[in-house]
Amino acid sequence: MCLIEAGQSGECRVRVNIDGALRTVVYGYPCSIAVDPIEKKPLFHFLPGTGILSVATVGCNLHCTNCQNWEISQANPEDEDIRAYSCSPEKLVALTKQNNCPSLAYTYTDPIVYYEYTSDSAKLAREANIRNVLVTAGYINAEPWKKLLRYVDAANIDLKSISDDFYRRVCSATLKPVQNALVMAKASGILVEVTNLVIPTLNDEPEQIGELARWVKVNLGAETPLHFSGFYPRYKMRNLPPTSLKTLEKARQIAKSEGLDYVYIGNVASKEGQNTYCPGCKKLLIERSGFTIMQNRIRGGGCPDCEREIYGVWK
Amino acid sequence: MAIFAGALWLACKAPPRFVRAVRIKQYPGVLKPLEDISGPSKWSG
């Protein structure tokens, strides 16, 4: 929580105390709008093969030294090289429809810092039968999170590490609120997928990966998809190499041996690590190549071979 | 008395409160036209 002095902004750079009133500078002014494959979020268990209108404003309440989108997440609205669109929630919903997207993602930076814009847009989107997706670090207090979740259909939430020390050193944040947000999101009934960006030497120890996978299984359930994503040297962390495929495959193997049903590898080319397999009969259900669905064998939300129900929103 | 006043101030000030921010009238940065959203998108995931 920020205590913001008059005339100052908070940690996120986009919420300002003007004459004693908290004002959001970025409401209706996203810096990024694009149509992405939903697999890019990544969401592998939510409307596979569809496009999703994706939106972000500048600013973030975390300051990860490895941030892959630091040009916008750590920018100020006043920065001249980061220009913004003027796009009201009504326009955003209309754009989603124009682009034939069944869902709308609040992503790239963190929807928590443009909370009011996200919340108002999500309400309108729901009225228009458009699904709402959050891609977030989940660093938020319980009360606003609960209010926002009412309008959300799915979320990919980062669990950057299972170590509070990592959150403090790398992200200028803490672990506990993120864990609370994950548990609350899953308990609310929305579809939840989890992403862990694996950074060489910082959070790639097998013991840490195992502990993280166990936490996900115990607190969110074995059916919760977990994505291990590859790191690339960016922002203030250019001294470390990209995560190797071998490390990501090892992480996947550990998480599967801990009992998670759906474990994926992202940000690198991996055939098996991008496919969905039935946890019951082990048969291939969804084959992916990059962000493209090569085949989807799920029928009626289940495995066509053993009829086991597959966690997800499939239509 | 001072301690009591201090404790009262802290009790009012310290607990996290959910405050909905108000939209600012004018964007402080530079705007671009909304027509084209087909450019490359940002990293995700």
Side-chain angles (χ1 to χ4, degrees):
Chain A
M1 186 181 69
C2 302
L3 287 174
I4 308 172
E5 296 295 328
Q8 301 293 310
S9 67
E11 279 287 317
C12 62
R13 300 179 168 94
V14 300
R15 307 168 80 79
V16 188
N17 177 350
I18 299 175
D19 299 330
L22 187 63
R23 302 205 178 255
T24 163
V25 174
V26 293
Y27 186 110
Y29 297 111
C31 63
S32 302
I33 304 178
V35 178
D36 283 338
I38 199 157
E39 285 73 20
K40 187 179 172 182
K41 297 300 102 193
L43 281 182
F44 281 12
H45 290 237
F46 189 80
L47 307 177
T50 61
I52 184 163
L53 194 89
S54 303
V55 64
T57 73
V58 297
C60 190
N61 54 342
L62 273 68
H63 308 292
C64 306
T65 52
N66 62 290
C67 183
Q68 307 281 301
N69 274 342
W70 65 274
E71 295 96 335
I72 53 174
S73 73
Q74 305 303 313
N76 291 304
E78 296 87 352
D79 291 347
E80 284 191 8
D81 49 340
I82 307 292
R83 299 182 173 205
Y85 302 104
S86 176
C87 185
S88 64
E90 289 81 4
K91 268 190 201 171
L92 195 59
V93 171
L95 265 181
T96 310
K97 282 185 168 174
Q98 275 168 31
N99 286 278
N100 298 315
C101 295
S103 54
L104 173 52
Y106 312 87
T107 174
Y108 302 135
T109 53
D110 202 307
I112 285 164
V113 302
Y114 50 95
Y115 182 95
E116 292 80 3
Y117 184 45
T118 299
S119 176
D120 289 355
S121 301
K123 277 182 212 171
L124 287 179
R126 177 158 288 181
E127 285 168 14
N129 290 321
I130 292 166
R131 318 270 183 102
N132 292 297
V133 168
L134 301 180
V135 182
T136 174
Y139 195 54
I140 184 169
N141 286 314
E143 188 187 348
W145 186 231
K146 197 175 168 186
K147 285 183 173 161
L148 186 58
L149 285 172
R150 286 179 202 155
Y151 306 103
V152 174
D153 297 287
N156 187 305
I157 304 173
D158 282 346
L159 182 56
K160 294 170 186 288
S161 168
I162 201 66
S163 152
D164 185 64
D165 182 59
F166 176 96
Y167 268 91
R168 289 175 189 274
R169 282 189 299 117
V170 178
C171 308
S172 308
T174 54
L175 171 64
K176 196 68 190 166
V178 179
Q179 291 178 313
N180 289 342
L182 278 158
V183 171
M184 280 180 67
K186 192 67 193 276
S188 76
I190 70 164
L191 180 119
V192 175
E193 300 193 23
V194 179
T195 294
N196 175 247
L197 186 81
V198 182
I199 307 175
T201 73
L202 295 184
N203 64 355
D204 63 342
E205 284 295 321
E207 294 75 21
Q208 290 174 306
I209 300 283
E211 194 183 341
L212 185 141
R214 277 194 298 282
W215 188 89
V216 170
K217 187 185 173 191
V218 169
N219 294 280
L220 307 179
E223 75 285 1
T224 307
L226 174 60
H227 301 257
F228 289 112
S229 190
F231 156 87
Y232 283 88
R234 300 276 283 154
Y235 192 35
K236 295 178 180 173
M237 201 178 281
R238 294 171 193 262
N239 57 320
L240 295 175
T243 317
S244 69
L245 178 59
K246 195 179 164 189
T247 301
L248 292 168
E249 283 174 342
K250 176 81 177 165
R252 180 169 181 263
Q253 184 198 336
I254 293 169
K256 284 181 80 69
S257 68
E258 290 291 346
L260 290 183
D261 290 339
Y262 310 103
V263 188
Y264 301 103
I265 292 175
N267 251 2
V268 293
S270 162
K271 193 159 178 63
E272 203 169 286
Q274 290 184 323
N275 293 341
T276 302
Y277 296 91
C278 176
C281 67
K282 314 295 179 197
K283 297 260 181 70
L284 175 70
L285 292 175
I286 303 179
E287 182 187 3
R288 300 179 181 84
S289 175
F291 299 134
T292 306
I293 301 290
M294 306 308 287
Q295 57 168 319
N296 181 353
R297 299 180 59 244
I298 291 177
R299 296 287 174 271
C303 173
D305 299 309
C306 70
E307 296 182 351
R308 179 172 171 145
E309 188 182 341
I310 305 299
Y311 176 68
V313 175
W314 306 109
K315 62 179 182 177
Chain B
M1 185 64 186
I3 292 169
F4 176 74
L8 188 66
W9 178 86
L10 199 64
C12 295
K13 195 87 176 173
R17 288 172 299 148
F18 174 47
V19 180
R20 192 185 154 96
V22 183
R23 183 181 183 176
I24 204 163
K25 283 181 183 154
Q26 195 179 359
Y27 190 65
V30 184
L31 294 175
K32 57 186 172 183
L34 189 56
E35 284 77 36
D36 184 20
I37 59 163
S38 60
S41 67
K42 291 287 177 186
W43 184 86
S44 186

